[in-house]
Amino acid sequence: MSGRPAERGELVRSAILGLLGTRGSTSRADIARVLEVSPATVTQVTKDLVARGLVRELEQVPSRGGRPARLLGLVRSAGGALGAKVTADHVAVVDVELDGTVRSSTSHPFDPDAPTAIDQLADILGEAMDDRGGQRLLGIGVGIPGSVNSQAGGIVSAPTLGWSDAHVGPILRSALGVPVLVENDVNTLAVAERLYGIGRTHSSYLVVTIGRGIGCGVVIDGAVYRGAGGGAGEIGHIPVTVDGPLCGCGSFGCLEAHIGDAGLVEQALERGVIGARGTSRGLLAAARDGDETARQIYADAGEMLGRALAGVVHTVDPEMLVILGEGIDAWPFWEPGFESAFRRHLLPARRGLTFVVEPWDEDKWALGAASLVFATPFDASGASGDQGQLVRERLDAAPFKASE
Ligand SMILES: [Zn+2]
C-alpha cells in the first residue's frame, strides 16, 4: 500500500476495517500479511480501533507451531448507517451495518420534479429510520446523479433530476436530526471501493460507471478527488464528436449522449434492432441472440469509452481501473471494442494497466451512499466536514459491547 506518510495511518485504519468487514475475524499477523504493512503498524492501529469500540478481541486460536493467535473482529453494533440513491423515478434505501452488511433494502417511487420533492425524500428516510429499530444510527449518506458542493454542504445541481442549487443536505438535516452526507453517486461508489474493495490494496484508481450515465470517480492517494466545485470525474460530458446527439447537459456530442443507455437505445431504434417501445434490455437481448448490429453498437460504444478513458488515464495516472454500473451486464459485448481501443491509445508505458469489471446489483448505489458515513472516521482529506465530525462523535459515544 502506498500513499503519503501523513495519510498512511488513516488508510491502514480504513483498510483494516474493510478487511475485517469482508473477511470476518482475522489475526493481526494475517492483517499485516494481507495488507502488506508491518506488524508494528497493525498493532498500533488496532489498539486505537479497539479503544474506540469499533474492533474487539476474540478468542485465541491455535497457530502453526507458534503461540496461539488472537483474532480481531468488528463490533457490528458500534453503529449502522442508512444509504439512499436518488434517481429520476425512484429512491433506493439500504440499512447497513458497520461491516458493510446490508440489513434491508427498499425502493420507493419518487418524482424529483414535484415542488416538495426533497420533503418527500425526507419522509422516505424518516420512515426508514423508524423501521430500523433500536440500533445506533451513525448517519445517512445520500447519492445524487449530479454535482454536490461538498459532502457536508449538500447543495446539489442535477440536470437529470431538474435540480439546480437544491438544498438537499440542509433540508434533510433539519427534518431528520441526524448527520447527513450528500455526494455525487459515482463518488459514493469510489468511497465504497476504498472501504470494501480495491481501495484496500490500491491508493490511486478510477471507478468508471456505465449505464444510464457514464461517470468516473477519481481516487488519488486514498481520497476522492472532487475538484473545485464537486464536479471532477464527469467524463460523460467529454465532447467526443463535433455534431453528435444532444446531451442531457444541453451540449452536443458528449460521451454520455453517445454511449449512455438512452444513446444506445436511440442507435438500436435507428438501426432497426428494437421497435419504437424498445429498451436497453431489448438491445441486450438482441446481442445475446447473436444480432450482429446489436453487437456492433456495443463494440462501438466500448471503443468510444476506451479512447476517452485512455485520455483520462494519461491525465490522472491511476494504478488501476474498476468498471461497473447498471449497464455492466452488456460488458461482454463492449469489451472487444474497449480492450483494443484502450490499449492502442495508451502510451507504451501505460499499456499494461489492469482494469477489473465488477458484477452489479441495484443495492450497490445505495450501499455506496451508506459508506460515506462509515468512511468519515478515516477521512484524512476532510471531505465530510462538520457532518463527518458529528458522525465521529456518535462513534466515540458508542458503547463497547463485548458480548456481540
Ligand atoms: Zn453532456
Side-chain angles (χ1 to χ4, degrees):
M1 181 179 293
S2 58
R4 289 193 293 267
E7 289 174 343
R8 194 172 163 80
E10 302 290 326
L11 279 172
V12 172
R13 285 208 292 183
S14 163
I16 290 175
L17 281 191
L19 186 70
L20 295 177
T22 48
R23 267 177 56 130
S25 42
T26 307
S27 71
R28 287 182 176 82
D30 283 343
I31 292 172
R33 205 189 63 246
V34 173
L35 297 180
E36 296 175 4
V37 295
S38 75
T41 302
V42 172
T43 299
Q44 185 193 341
V45 173
T46 54
K47 191 175 162 191
D48 175 60
L49 290 171
V50 169
R52 295 171 71 120
L54 298 173
V55 165
R56 67 199 174 101
E57 304 255 9
L58 299 159
E59 73 283 6
Q60 295 190 331
V61 295
S63 69
R64 271 170 303 175
R67 60 196 172 90
R70 201 175 272 283
L71 296 180
L72 295 169
L74 280 186
V75 180
R76 280 190 181 183
S77 58
L82 290 174
K85 152 76 172 176
V86 179
T87 78
D89 59 10
H90 72 280
V91 175
V93 180
V94 292
D95 180 6
V96 186
E97 296 186 320
L98 187 58
D99 62 358
T101 306
V102 175
R103 296 175 77 208
S104 69
S105 85
T106 51
S107 181
H108 310 261
F110 183 65
D111 176 13
D113 291 326
T116 57
I118 302 170
D119 297 313
Q120 286 174 32
L121 178 59
D123 289 343
I124 290 168
L125 289 167
E127 280 174 31
M129 285 170 68
D130 293 342
D131 288 346
R132 58 192 305 287
Q135 203 209 23
R136 177 181 301 267
L137 179 65
L138 298 175
I140 297 177
V142 180
I144 303 271
S147 62
V148 180
N149 71 327
S150 72
Q151 289 183 12
I155 311 297
V156 170
S157 291
T160 57
L161 301 177
W163 293 1
S164 173
D165 282 329
H167 284 223
V168 176
I171 292 171
L172 294 183
R173 281 196 290 277
S174 78
L176 301 171
V178 295
V180 175
L181 294 151
V182 186
E183 180 60 283
N184 168 270
D185 52 7
V186 181
N187 284 350
T188 71
L189 296 179
V191 172
E193 283 293 335
R194 196 185 147 203
L195 285 185
Y196 306 116
I198 61 155
R200 298 195 322 223
T201 49
H202 297 80
S203 59
S204 297
Y205 53 90
L206 304 178
V207 175
V208 178
T209 60
I210 63 171
R212 286 184 286 267
I214 303 295
C216 181
V218 180
V219 176
I220 299 173
D221 292 338
V224 175
Y225 178 71
R226 309 187 75 263
E234 291 275 12
I235 65 166
H237 304 287
I238 293 176
V240 291
T241 53
V242 176
D243 50 5
L246 176 64
C247 180
C249 73
S251 190
F252 289 89
C254 292
L255 182 64
E256 183 170 302
H258 282 280
I259 67 170
D261 274 352
L264 296 181
V265 165
E266 185 64 33
Q267 292 177 52
L269 190 60
E270 281 172 10
R271 297 168 71 171
V273 176
I274 55 174
R277 298 168 63 86
T279 64
S280 54
R281 272 200 294 275
L283 172 60
L284 178 56
R288 283 177 171 156
D289 286 345
D291 184 314
E292 282 306 321
T293 309
R295 291 184 173 192
Q296 192 59 48
I297 289 170
Y298 284 126
D300 291 347
E303 181 172 353
M304 203 173 260
L305 181 69
R307 276 203 306 272
L309 283 182
V312 179
V313 165
H314 290 145
T315 311
V316 178
D317 190 19
E319 293 167 52
M320 67 176 305
L321 270 67
V322 179
I323 304 174
L324 73 182
E326 64 270 351
I328 208 69
D329 282 354
W331 183 258
F333 303 109
W334 288 60
E335 183 148 10
F338 176 83
E339 176 83 38
S340 64
F342 182 60
R343 304 275 176 223
R344 192 169 64 245
H345 291 285
L346 285 175
L347 288 169
R350 296 280 170 279
R351 219 160 269 167
L353 192 77
T354 54
F355 64 89
V356 295
V357 178
E358 287 190 0
W360 184 256
D361 68 67
E362 275 300 310
D363 281 347
K364 222 159 187 173
W365 284 119
L367 178 61
S371 73
L372 293 175
V373 175
F374 298 137
T376 56
F378 323 102
D379 176 21
S381 66
S384 60
D386 65 332
Q387 296 302 297
Q389 181 59 33
L390 291 173
V391 172
R392 284 189 287 273
E393 285 169 14
R394 285 177 167 240
L395 255 180
D396 286 341
F400 179 65
K401 287 194 179 173
S403 60
E404 200 204 1

